[in-house]
Amino acid sequence: MAKLSDIVKQIDQTAKSGDREKALKMLDNLLKKVPESKAPPLLKRHKLYKSELATEQRIIALEKQYSV
C-alpha cells in the first residue's frame, strides 16, 4: 500500500489539475481508511477543495447566465 503522503500528493495534483470533484471523492475514500489521529489535516483539505469547487461552479453558472 502507498504511503499516506504519496496519496495526499496525488489528491493535491488531481485538485490542481482542475478535477476537484474527483479529489473530493478520493479524500472521502481516504478518510474512511485513516485513523482519527491523522484525519484533521485531511478534513481541512476536504473543506478547502469543497469551497473551491463551489466557487468554480458558481463562476461557471454566472458565465452561462451572462453568456461570457
Side-chain angles (χ1 to χ4, degrees), residues 54-67:
T55 303
E56 180 183 338
Q57 289 175 339
R58 181 66 180 143
I59 291 169
I60 291 169
L62 289 170
E63 286 176 344
K64 282 183 181 179
Q65 182 180 357
Y66 294 106
S67 301

Side-chain angles (χ1 to χ4, degrees), residues 6-57:
D6 293 337
I7 296 171
V8 171
K9 284 180 186 177
Q10 183 181 6
I11 292 170
D12 287 344
Q13 288 175 349
T14 302
K16 286 180 184 177
S17 72
D19 197 356
R20 289 177 183 85
E21 288 182 48
K22 183 177 179 182
L24 282 170
K25 289 178 186 175
M26 292 167 73
L27 267 173
D28 286 337
N29 289 334
L30 183 60
L31 282 167
K32 293 176 187 174
K33 297 176 183 178
V34 297
E36 287 185 32
S37 62
K38 296 188 179 195
L42 298 176
L43 290 171
K44 184 178 176 182
R45 202 174 240 106
H46 187 275
K47 184 178 178 182
L48 173 69
Y49 292 155
K50 196 170 187 177
S51 68
E52 287 178 356
L53 178 62
T55 303
E56 180 183 338
Q57 289 175 339

